[in-house]
Amino acid sequence: VTSLLIKNFVSNTFNISKEKISYIPNWIDTSLFKPQKHIKNKVLYIGRFTEEKNIGLLLDALSRSKLSVDILGYGPEKNRIIDKIRNLNIDANLLDPISNTKIADLYSKYPVYVLCSRIEGNPKTLLEAMSSGCAVIGTDVPGIRDVIMHDKTGLLVKENSKILSDTITQLFNDLELKTRLSKNARQFILSNNSIDRIIDSEIQIYNKYK
C-alpha cells in the first residue's frame, strides 16, 4: 500500500497482521519532475474537483489576498468552483487539459503549490510539486502530514481560510523561507520517492517472501 493510513485501514478492516502489509509510497520520476526557473508569481493547484479536495478553502483564502491561482483539474465540482471564483471575484484561471508529459514543465513554473484536502492517501500531485522545486503548503490532515514535515519540507496549516491566506502570503514574501523549503522538499523526494528508491524497496519485499 502507498500510505500508513491505508496500511492501518487494511489491517483493521480485514483483520490482517500489519507485519504482512508492506508500505511503499508513490514513486516520482525525479529526472522529469525537477526544479527549473519559476516564471509565474502565482499559486498552483492540480487535482480532481471533488468535495474531499476542499478547493473552496483555497479560494476563500485567496479572496483575502491579492494573489492569483492557476488550477488544473476535472471532476463533478467544476461548475461549483467556477461559480465560487466569480462570486468571490478571485483572480483564478482554470487551465486547459494537458498531456501527462507536459505536467512536469507546468509544476516547475510556479513557486508555490497548495493542497488543502480534507484527507489524502499518498498524494501524487504533492510529491510531484515537491520534486519540481515548489514550496508547498498543505492542510494538517492524514496523508498530507505524512509527507510534509512542517517548516522543513513545507508548511502545514489548519483548515482555516485566514490561516491559509496568511501562510500563502508569508511564503510569497519570504524568499529565504521559500528557497529553503523548496530545496528540502526536493531532497525529501530524492531520498524517499525516487524510482530507484522505490524499486529497491520492492525488491527487498520480494526477497523477503520468495
Side-chain angles (χ1 to χ4, degrees):
V1 296
T2 56
S3 76
L4 294 174
L5 181 69
I6 298 174
K7 178 176 180 176
N8 292 333
F9 172 81
V10 171
S11 177
N12 295 333
T13 303
F14 301 102
N15 196 27
I16 299 174
S17 170
K18 291 183 180 180
E19 294 180 356
K20 295 184 178 181
I21 305 173
S22 299
Y23 156 55
I24 299 180
N26 285 316
W27 63 270
I28 301 296
D29 185 346
T30 53
S31 66
L32 181 63
F33 292 87
K34 59 185 178 181
Q36 299 182 49
K37 185 177 181 180
H38 298 140
I39 60 174
K40 292 182 179 288
N41 194 36
K42 294 182 176 183
V43 175
L44 176 66
Y45 168 81
I46 297 177
R48 291 176 289 116
F49 295 161
T50 55
E51 185 177 351
E52 67 271 14
K53 292 298 183 179
N54 205 14
I55 302 173
L57 176 63
L58 174 59
L59 299 179
D60 286 335
L62 291 173
S63 71
R64 297 171 173 269
S65 73
K66 296 181 180 180
L67 293 170
S68 304
V69 60
D70 282 349
I71 300 174
L72 175 63
Y74 62 92
E77 294 283 307
K78 181 176 181 179
N79 289 337
R80 185 176 297 181
I81 289 169
I82 292 174
D83 288 342
K84 192 176 184 71
I85 289 171
R86 290 172 177 166
N87 291 336
L88 294 176
N89 194 28
I90 302 168
D91 185 5
N93 180 33
L94 268 62
L95 303 177
D96 293 330
I98 60 175
S99 65
N100 288 337
T101 56
K102 295 182 179 180
I103 287 182
D105 287 335
L106 182 68
Y107 280 108
S108 65
K109 292 179 171 65
Y110 295 81
V112 174
Y113 180 83
V114 177
L115 185 64
C116 48
S117 307
R118 294 187 172 98
I119 191 170
E120 284 285 351
N122 187 230
K124 193 73 177 284
T125 62
L126 178 61
L127 301 175
E128 290 171 345
M130 293 168 71
S131 184
S132 301
C134 301
V136 297
I137 300 172
T139 37
D140 189 5
V141 299
I144 295 179
R145 70 167 70 105
D146 298 330
V147 175
I148 295 178
M149 292 179 286
H150 181 65
D151 202 35
K152 293 183 179 180
T153 61
L155 298 174
L156 291 171
V157 298
K158 295 180 180 179
E159 294 183 59
N160 178 283
S161 62
K162 184 179 186 308
I163 294 174
L164 178 57
S165 177
D166 291 345
T167 303
I168 294 172
T169 301
Q170 175 195 9
L171 198 50
F172 269 94
N173 291 337
D174 191 334
L175 178 59
E176 187 279 329
L177 175 63
K178 187 165 55 180
T179 301
R180 175 170 60 82
L181 295 179
S182 169
K183 290 181 178 179
N184 289 346
R186 169 70 177 177
Q187 187 57 52
F188 175 87
I189 299 300
L190 290 173
S191 300
N192 296 279
N193 300 88
S194 69
I195 187 169
D196 291 338
R197 172 73 172 173
I198 300 306
I199 289 174
D200 287 343
S201 297
E202 291 192 354
I203 290 174
Q204 290 176 20
I205 293 172
Y206 290 135
N207 290 335
K208 179 180 178 180
Y209 293 104
K210 70 178 181 179

